[in-house]
Structure formats: C-alpha cells, structure tokens
Amino acid sequence: MSGLGKGLTVKRCLTFATGLVECLCFSGAVFGWASLVFVLKTEGYFSSLCVNTTGVNATQVLDCSGQDEQFSLVFTIASFMNNFLTLPNGFLFDRFGTTVARLLGICLYTLGSLMLALSTAAFSNLLFPAISLLAVGGILFLMTNMQVGNLFGARRSTIITLYNGAFDSSSALFLVIKLLHEAGVSLRASFLFLCACSVLHLLRTFFLLPRKHIPYPLPDEYTYGITCGKSKTLSLEQTKDNGNAQKTREETLLNTDDPVKQEKSFRECLMSRLFVLHLLWLSVMQLRHYLFIGTLNPMLERLTEGEPSLVSQYINAFAITQLCGVLCAPWNGLIFDRHKGKPCAAGESEQQADLHASILSLFLTALQCVLFSVCAATPYLPLQYLTFILQVLNRSFLYGGNAAFLSVAFPSCHFGKLYGLVGALSAVFSVLQYPLFALVNGPLGGDPLYVNVGLALLSLLAFIHPLSVLLHCRSLASQRAISASS
C-alpha cells in the first residue's frame, strides 16, 4: 500500500472513531429526558404547579400532575422539533453540504446548552427552547455523520446503524449529569462544559469531514478535509495521466449530484408504496417510544407508590440500559449487510439484493416493538427491567433500520431530503403523545393501562411494511424470470 493509501486509511478510521464518539456523547442527549427530569424536580422547576389536595381519610396530599404535564409538554415539543426540522435540515444538507449543516448544528447545540446552564426554577420556561435546540442540534450531528459509512463500502449499513445506536446511547449523558448533580456538581457547570465541547465539534468539521458530501460508491484515493481536499486529488490524477480527460473523469466521480445512471426523481420516491409504508412503520413505533420516555417518571412514581429512592433506582437502571444501544445497533447493520460479498441472483442488481436483505430487519424491529409494548402495559414493577432492555433494543433497531433502509431503497442523492421528510411527517404523528398523556392524567385517573394496551395493538400495523417489501421483491424476481425466459 502506498504512503498516500496508508494516510487515507488512517484518516478514515479517525473520522469513523471521532464520529462514533460524537454521536455517543452528544447527539441524542434529549432522549435521556427521564434522568434530567428527576434532577429538575429536585431543583424546583415548575414546582408552582404542585397543589395540595385532600386524599384518603382527609389527609393532605401534594398533587404534582400539573408539573408532570408541563415536563411532558417540554419533551413533546422537543421530540417534535427533533423530527420535524429534519426536513429543512435534510434539504440544507443536500444543497449546501456537510460544513454548513454542521455549523448550524453546533450553533444550535451550544445555544441550547447555554440556555440550560442559565435556567433556574424561576425561569423554568427556558426549558422549552433549550431542550428543543439540543434536540435539533443533535440530529444534525447524526445526519452529517451517517455518510461516513460511505467510506467503508461493504460495511456501509453496519456503520450507519452503529452511529444510530450511538445516538440512542447518548441519552445516558443526562444520567451522567444526574450522577454528577448528586455528587455536588451543579447543572450550570455541567452544561457550560457541554458548551465548551463545541470547539471539538468545530475542529472535526474542518479537519475530518468533507465540505460537501462523501460520495457512494467511493472514488479511488478520495480525500477530504481542510488539508487535502478535492483539488489535491485532482492534481494527483492529472500528474499521473498528464491530460485534461482524466481531470474531467475525476470531477465527475467526485460530484455526487451527477448519477451514473437514470435515478428515480424525488417525487417518484415520495409517492412510492415503499416510502408510505416505511413512514407508517416508523411513526407507529416512534409514538410508542416517545410516550414511554415522556411518561416514565409518573409511571414509576405510580408503581413505586411515590418512593423517591426506588424511583431514582429505576431511572438509573433505565439510563444505564440506554448505553447498550451502541452494542445492539450493529447487529441490525449486520443483518442488512449479511449478503455482501456473495454473488447476486441472476439479473438481480445490488440495490435489489440490499432491499431483500432489509426484510428480516424490518420484521424483527416490529416484533420487538410489540413485545416491548406488552411489557410496558403490564403494571408489575420488576418487569420494567425487561421493558427497559426491550426498549433500547427496539429503539436502536428502529432508528438504525430507518436510515439504513432509506439508504438502500432510494437513490443516495435524495437521502437527506427523504430522511428529513420521514422525520418531519413522523413528528406530526408523534404529537399525539401529549393528548394521550393528558388522557392518562385526566379521565383515566393516572392509570396508563388502557393507553398502553391500545398502543400495543397499534404496533401490529408495523408488520405491514416488511410484508410489503417482501411482495415487492418477489414481484421484481418474477419480472426478472419473465425477462430471462423471453
């Protein structure tokens, strides 16, 4: 291997490793909301909404359902913004490239961290913009990192799902902040430290990522970063062949907006059955996860009969299991990539083989969600440990599988837009979590059993998508057989 080749390999491995750390430590922190809520309650955020009520035997009981509802609203808005704004963010990423998208993400994440550092119980409403900014900035980190999978062709889906698993595991960041708070470190100090970490994000943006996009398939000796950009690669090729023809060929390879073959238009992708059913698949399961995270604290308070130490124990257990997301997600990627290196069937394209390999992943994800929903609907406290395990397993499969499926089922030139659109439309569906929470707190008297049973039944709709992909693949196989025989 030449010195240039070794340098490229080292740089690509460094890009992968730092991207994994970035996703693991920052991108999905907002989904550790349950841990942060526990700290915010001890700090007195929204405590003015707690009222004294008359309980059994005329005893005075502190009713904090109004406080819980406000915290749920904060998370509902943040999770909505996290998904809905992936649509404009996807267009921004596709149109202007990596550097612009990441600079926006870094600004939003830093501003959100700063607002949380400056918030107090007297200014509890700062939580609304702060958590939303953290969520949107974090998803931009993930979106710009997923293209790193293009650097490792045969393991592309594995790396995409690994990064999504790291995104899930980063929810443990709020557990770290909770444990630091219990050890005497203030919330302000923790979030000011997160602000300072923006310097690392900036360095990675300019030195370890391209200005535009990482193409797929990857051209030979493709380089990126501030020290060895596209111009250097072109110069090397020109020197080798001593002509303008090679320069033109290389520029065409490096331009990801010029497909080699006729690709589907964005509109055709949008109107396809695969896209519509994939949107349903994601929306149904995402609503189940968002409602679970947003109602975890009040659910545990009900099951533990309000014992703070027991609630804290289960919150810590939930947050620790989130760390396993980064371990679970690669298994989904291996399911996607299990056919790599094997010859395709006669007349079958690589894209069709990738699509066929996705069926097992889509089915297992739907099955996990049903099992998770059944456990969550069972009002038995020790069973919640199993619920936590199934939740993190399903969530890592869900988001990793979402990105991997979009990357194999549709042209790469539309990935950012489709990823953003799926996120935006599923966000509209996820807004249902707030009225469902209000239903539990109001007419259902705090008992979520009926809502949980309803969501478990709703999760069965997720099985439609893998069945549809299976029928689509069989239809393509039948068309190839007819073409071969004619």
Side-chain angles (χ1 to χ4, degrees), residues 199-220:
V199 176
L200 301 177
H201 301 315
L202 285 171
L203 291 175
R204 187 167 179 275
T205 298
F206 292 115
F207 288 97
L208 291 176
L209 286 169
R211 187 172 64 87
K212 289 293 185 180
H213 304 94
I214 299 174
Y216 183 80
L218 198 68
D220 293 337

Side-chain angles (χ1 to χ4, degrees), residues 266-285:
F266 177 64
R267 178 182 174 82
E268 287 174 329
C269 296
L270 189 63
M271 301 303 293
S272 68
R273 184 179 62 182
L274 286 180
F275 180 81
V276 173
L277 291 178
H278 183 71
L279 175 62
L280 175 66
W281 177 86
L282 177 67
S283 299
V284 166
M285 289 188 280

Side-chain angles (χ1 to χ4, degrees), residues 1-12 150-151 214-215 217-225 227-241 246 249-251 253-254:
M1 184 182 289
S2 66
L4 178 60
K6 289 180 180 178
L8 288 177
T9 300
V10 171
K11 186 169 186 177
R12 289 173 187 178
N150 294 347
L151 296 174
I214 299 174
L218 198 68
D220 293 337
E221 296 188 347
Y222 169 73
T223 60
Y224 55 92
T227 59
C228 52
K230 182 167 69 173
S231 59
K232 181 175 179 181
T233 301
L234 294 178
S235 178
L236 285 167
E237 293 296 333
Q238 282 178 278
T239 302
K240 185 185 295 182
D241 288 347
Q246 184 65 19
R249 186 181 72 84
E250 183 72 6
E251 285 176 341
L253 281 171
L254 292 178

